[in-house]
Amino acid sequence: LPFVGMYKLFEKANQPASAAFIPFYNAFTVIKIIGAPKWWLGMMLVPIVHFFIIAGMLIEMNKSFGQYKFIDNFLAIAFPFAY
């Protein structure tokens, strides 16, 4: 089910929406959208560290869509499937 949300997200970001269905390429596309360094993709493979990388990616994704408030970032991290 997360692919459905990523599909819509990629459409809004003017990226190929079909990338949501391809493992690892969808993470690379998110990194490209938020403008993060490419090494973040490698850090997502490290246990424990990936939680912090994903949280940072969610916050940066909010910023790229113009949401800067703490509550927006909190909701994106606590409920990524619904926010």
Side-chain angles (χ1 to χ4, degrees):
L1 289 178
F3 302 116
V4 176
M6 290 181 88
Y7 186 89
K8 292 292 187 184
L9 179 78
F10 290 169
E11 283 181 344
K12 287 183 180 183
N14 295 324
Q15 296 294 322
S18 60
F21 301 106
I22 304 170
F24 295 106
Y25 183 63
N26 58 14
F28 178 75
T29 305
V30 170
I31 286 174
K32 192 166 53 171
I33 291 170
I34 64 176
K38 305 292 185 257
W39 58 267
W40 279 25
L41 190 60
M43 293 301 288
M44 289 177 63
L45 300 174
V46 178
I48 308 297
V49 175
H50 74 280
F51 291 119
F52 297 103
I53 295 294
I54 291 173
M57 288 173 63
L58 291 170
I59 291 170
E60 292 299 320
M61 185 65 74
N62 273 351
K63 288 180 183 177
S64 68
F65 284 102
Q67 298 177 346
Y68 298 99
K69 295 180 183 175
F70 173 79
I71 190 68
D72 293 327
N73 293 332
F74 174 77
L75 290 174
I77 292 170
F79 304 107
F81 52 87
Y83 190 74

